[in-house]
Amino acid sequence: MSSKKLHPSVEQFKEFVKRHPSLIQEVRKGKRSWQELYEDWHLLGEDDQMWAAFKDTGTEEEKEDKKQDMMSRILSSVKNMDANEMNQHLYNMSSTVSTIQGILEQFGFAKPSQPAGGSGSQPFSFRKD
C-alpha cells in the first residue's frame, strides 16, 4: 500500500505536536480541535507564548502518576467486567474457531485434529536410559 505524502506544513505541525504532547490531551478532552490548533500554529508560529503551557516539561513523578492512573483505569475496568458475560464471549469465540477448523479440514487445508490423550504420536519423546 502506498501512503499519501502529506503537505510539508502538516508534517511540521505533527513534529510540533510531538514536542508538545499536552496538545493531544487538550484535543482528547474536547477543549480544542486539531483544526483550531493547526490554525493557531500556522498563524502564530511555534515561538508564540501560547505554546509554552503545552511544552513537555513532565517530570519523572508526573510520568509515574500517569502510569499509575492507567493501571488504576485498567483495574477498574477489570473489576466492572461481568464474569458470566466474559465466559459467554469466550465460549462463542471457541465455537467459532472450532467451526472454522472443521471447514478447513473438510476442504483439506488443515490436518485433522487429534483427540486429546489419543494414542497418536506423543508431543514429547521420552527415552529410557
Side-chain angles (χ1 to χ4, degrees), residues 46-97:
E46 292 187 19
D47 301 327
D48 193 70
Q49 288 295 67
M50 173 188 165
W51 306 118
F54 302 106
K55 196 118 178 131
D56 185 19
T57 57
T59 63
E60 288 298 319
E61 184 177 311
E62 290 173 350
K63 291 178 183 177
E64 186 65 31
D65 287 343
K66 288 180 183 179
K67 287 180 186 177
Q68 289 177 352
D69 182 46
M70 184 178 72
M71 288 300 293
S72 66
R73 287 192 322 213
I74 290 172
L75 288 175
S76 67
S77 64
V78 168
K79 287 179 185 176
N80 293 335
M81 284 184 193
D82 181 17
N84 292 330
E85 184 179 337
M86 197 60 138
N87 193 18
Q88 183 64 35
H89 287 301
L90 289 173
Y91 174 77
N92 290 342
M93 189 182 310
S94 175
S95 62
T96 302
V97 169

Side-chain angles (χ1 to χ4, degrees), residues 3-24 27 34-35 37-39 41-42 46 51 54 56:
S3 61
K4 289 184 178 180
K5 191 73 173 164
L6 294 175
H7 191 272
S9 65
V10 175
E11 291 288 340
Q12 291 171 349
F13 179 68
K14 286 175 73 172
E15 289 299 318
F16 174 75
V17 170
K18 287 180 184 175
R19 290 190 308 271
H20 298 79
S22 301
L23 292 172
I24 298 169
V27 172
W34 286 117
Q35 183 68 34
L37 291 173
Y38 177 78
E39 289 172 358
W41 172 81
H42 190 70
E46 292 187 19
W51 306 118
F54 302 106
D56 185 19

